Amino acid sequence: MNNLYKMLAFFCLVFVTNAIHAQAITGTVDANGLIKVDESIGWQDEYVINISQFHFTSYKEAADYFQKYVTAFNVYGQFTFDIQNQRLYMKIQRENSVHIGNMTPQSLNNALLVVYRG
């Protein structure tokens, strides 16, 4: 019976851990590489973007592809790639030199468009 409780506790732990890491998609990237965040959900500390359409096989490959965003946001942005799950995790500091005042999802999308256009 004790082993049954241990197994049950283990499965609960695995389930909770997966639920924590299964964040909702809060942004998109089109086939040409334009990142856009969901404006309907308000500002997010971290945006989760599905990048599976690009079929990246390495962190470096994904980082190189999105380098213009990394460079533009510099210390005001953090771009992390989860190659196994094909996700981009994007954190943008709300107050930064890219935009005067607090950014909104709308102003972030404008800044992302400007970076995309180069």
Side-chain angles (χ1 to χ4, degrees):
M1 186 62 115
N2 196 15
N3 286 339
L4 180 63
Y5 288 126
K6 287 179 183 178
M7 285 293 274
L8 182 60
F10 172 75
F11 285 120
C12 288
L13 179 64
V14 169
F15 178 76
V16 169
T17 301
N18 285 338
I20 290 170
H21 291 292
Q23 293 176 292
I25 301 297
T26 53
T28 60
V29 59
D30 72 15
N32 297 313
L34 173 61
I35 298 172
K36 187 171 183 181
V37 301
D38 186 347
E39 295 179 0
S40 69
I41 58 174
W43 184 262
Q44 301 293 302
D45 291 329
E46 179 176 68
Y47 291 94
V48 181
I49 301 162
N50 181 348
I51 57 173
S52 63
Q53 74 240 40
F54 299 105
H55 307 287
F56 295 125
T57 58
S58 72
Y59 191 97
K60 181 178 181 346
E61 184 181 11
D64 288 348
Y65 186 83
F66 291 103
Q67 186 60 44
K68 62 184 162 192
Y69 296 104
V70 175
T71 301
F73 283 97
N74 197 0
V75 298
Y76 300 104
Q78 179 182 358
F79 296 79
T80 306
F81 303 95
D82 176 357
I83 299 306
Q84 180 179 351
N85 295 307
Q86 294 292 297
R87 299 285 187 262
L88 160 60
Y89 296 93
M90 181 178 73
K91 292 182 181 182
I92 302 296
Q93 190 173 331
R94 196 162 190 188
E95 293 181 30
N96 62 60
S97 66
V98 175
H99 182 271
I100 297 172
N102 282 337
M103 291 189 94
T104 64
Q106 294 82 4
S107 62
L108 177 55
N109 278 335
N110 289 336
L112 291 166
L113 181 59
V114 168
V115 171
Y116 172 77
R117 290 181 176 164

